[in-house]
Amino acid sequence: MSSSLSPHSRAPQGSGTSPSYAAAPDLRTERLLLRPWSDGDLAAVLDGTRQPHWAADFPADGDRVIAGYTAGHPAARGAYGQRQILERESGLVVGGIGLFWPPADGSVEFGYGIVPSRRGRGYASEAARALVAFAFTAPGVHTVRAKIERSNPASGRVLEKAGLERWSSDDTHVRFRLTGPARA
């Protein structure tokens, strides 16, 4: 399924606010649109109401977790927060991706997930590359990181395709990171 598509273990601290949902830009790739969660989609996922613009297997369990997290953390609705992944051709929501804002010491974690019916198409790698590049536009961010479960090596390949490198592991997780170029 995904990189750690579970909420970051710490709640946003300090001002740590990012621009409001309305100011959050869509991110476009060749085949995907990474769009901030709408109020309607958050409510529909949380109350279990199917929407016609969702892939048949959306939301997955991770999407439900992220919807709950996003609804409860204002920074998750900002420009550098959580997003849905849409196929541009069909307009269907096929997953989620996002940064766990705010960064800690210049490092920000991200997670992602693609529904089973759309896996194997390169969507996770395409979305991850776009989000990682976008993360480096955020003030003060110099490192982007993610962790995966050891039992999910395909997700490690996604992270490597997005430019991240393996840097540590334990019995259950492997951690990846990418440090961006120093900014003037």
Side-chain angles (χ1 to χ4, degrees):
M1 177 174 143
S2 67
S3 157
S4 62
L5 201 105
S6 59
H8 195 282
S9 58
R10 65 180 179 81
Q13 300 171 2
S15 68
T17 59
S18 53
S20 70
Y21 165 71
D26 289 343
L27 302 178
R28 294 180 188 277
T29 70
E30 181 181 339
R31 301 176 298 161
L32 304 172
L33 176 67
L34 311 181
R35 180 187 71 196
W37 283 80
S38 69
D39 293 335
D41 276 349
L42 279 174
V45 168
L46 293 173
D47 70 18
T49 305
R50 290 257 348 122
Q51 298 298 305
H53 62 278
W54 293 352
D57 49 351
F58 182 87
D61 290 341
D63 299 305
R64 289 181 192 88
V65 170
I66 290 302
Y69 173 81
T70 301
H73 293 86
R77 299 290 305 277
Y80 298 104
Q82 299 297 313
R83 298 164 181 277
Q84 291 181 317
I85 300 172
L86 288 78
E87 288 177 324
R88 289 179 60 187
E89 186 174 311
S90 70
L92 295 176
V93 177
V94 299
I97 191 165
L99 301 170
F100 294 101
W101 198 259
D105 299 322
S107 177
V108 66
E109 183 175 354
F110 81 102
Y112 56 88
I114 301 291
V115 295
S117 67
R118 297 312 199 275
R119 292 182 190 157
R121 299 178 185 196
Y123 287 173
S125 297
E126 188 173 327
R129 281 190 300 270
L131 189 72
V132 166
F134 182 66
F136 285 123
T137 70
V141 171
H142 57 72
T143 301
V144 178
R145 58 189 165 79
K147 74 178 177 187
I148 63 165
E149 293 179 0
R150 277 190 175 277
S151 62
N152 190 358
S155 201
R157 289 189 295 277
V158 165
L159 294 173
E160 289 169 345
K161 288 177 184 177
L164 283 77
E165 296 178 349
R166 181 180 171 152
W167 68 282
S168 74
S169 62
D170 58 30
D171 290 343
T172 57
H173 293 96
V174 180
R175 289 167 199 77
F176 291 77
R177 69 179 172 192
L178 176 64
T179 300
R183 290 187 235 166

